Amino acid sequence: VLFPMGQLDSIAREVFDDLSTMGPNRLFSYARILLHGQVVFGMIGCLTMVYGTIHPGQVACALFGIVAIDLRHAPLMRSYAWLVTFLLVLDIVWHHFWAERLLRNFTGVQENQEMWWGLMVANTNKVCGFGMELVCGILRLLSIPLWFMLWNGSYLAGHPNGGGVCGVGSSDGYEVPTVVRQGYEMVTAKGPDEY
């Protein structure tokens, strides 16, 4: 056993105590930084030759999280909190099935003998496929406590149509950017027959 259960419990308490003193603005800022990291490393992961279909989906989910935070739209942020948990499980499943194949350069094709990827493709797969998936998974793992604190602090329970700032007053230094707010109001103010 790497850590005794009591020690893990005390570490978790310390982390959540430290996070709870940060306040919602700092928690949202850290969540946003981790989301941008997922976009950057996910885009690099899209360069992989095989087994990389997970990366575009991860980039899309991270962009969804960025939009949810920018709009401070409560249902979208709660949806992303669930989505990041699902993505972390997906990371574990992906590594279970594909990490060994990528690290061994195995193509899965056999004719007279096993076929292996060439050197350039193999290294691209290792760095872009395996490496970027690992980095994005770690970023998601780091973001779970942030989203947990935001959820439990009722900061994801703001105005359901994005009109509120989800528990963060404008005096706290964050307001939804005007362009984003205008775009949101334009889309939601008119019915389908009014365009």
Side-chain angles (χ1 to χ4, degrees):
V1 176
L2 190 59
F3 291 106
M5 195 55 156
Q7 190 176 6
L8 280 177
D9 186 46
S10 67
I11 290 171
R13 274 205 187 105
E14 283 182 42
V15 167
F16 288 125
D17 286 345
D18 289 345
L19 286 175
S20 65
T21 61
M22 288 185 185
N25 283 333
R26 187 168 282 169
L27 290 173
F28 277 119
S29 296
Y30 290 153
R32 185 174 235 296
I33 290 168
L34 290 170
L35 283 165
H36 282 284
Q38 290 177 52
V39 170
V40 169
F41 292 114
M43 290 300 293
I44 296 169
C46 290
L47 298 174
T48 189
M49 305 290 185
V50 293
Y51 309 126
T53 55
I54 193 168
H55 297 291
Q58 292 172 350
V59 170
C61 292
L63 290 171
F64 173 81
I66 291 170
V67 168
I69 288 176
D70 279 352
L71 290 177
R72 294 295 170 112
H73 192 274
L76 290 179
M77 288 191 294
R78 287 192 303 270
S79 294
Y80 182 76
W82 282 108
L83 184 61
V84 73
T85 306
F86 169 75
L87 285 172
L88 193 58
V89 171
L90 189 63
D91 289 331
I92 294 166
V93 170
W94 188 91
H95 275 94
H96 173 74
F97 284 113
W98 305 120
E100 188 253 342
R101 288 177 178 258
L102 285 171
L103 295 177
R104 282 191 327 122
N105 304 333
F106 181 62
T107 63
V109 177
Q110 289 185 332
E111 288 185 10
N112 294 337
Q113 59 185 11
E114 277 189 68
M115 294 179 69
W116 304 94
W117 294 109
L119 186 61
M120 186 183 108
V121 173
N123 289 335
T124 302
N125 288 339
K126 287 177 187 175
V127 172
C128 295
F130 176 77
M132 295 304 114
E133 170 60 21
L134 184 63
V135 170
C136 287
I138 290 169
L139 291 176
R140 278 187 283 281
L141 180 64
L142 292 173
S143 72
I144 293 286
L146 296 173
W147 286 98
F148 178 80
M149 293 304 296
L150 288 167
W151 188 295
N152 284 338
S154 296
Y155 300 116
L156 304 183
H159 199 272
N161 66 6
V165 288
C166 300
V168 182
S170 59
S171 61
D172 290 336
Y174 183 90
E175 291 208 23
V176 176
T178 304
V179 175
V180 174
R181 175 63 54 213
Q182 288 171 344
Y184 179 80
E185 289 170 357
M186 181 185 77
V187 170
T188 58
K190 296 180 180 180
D193 298 330
E194 297 178 36
Y195 286 101

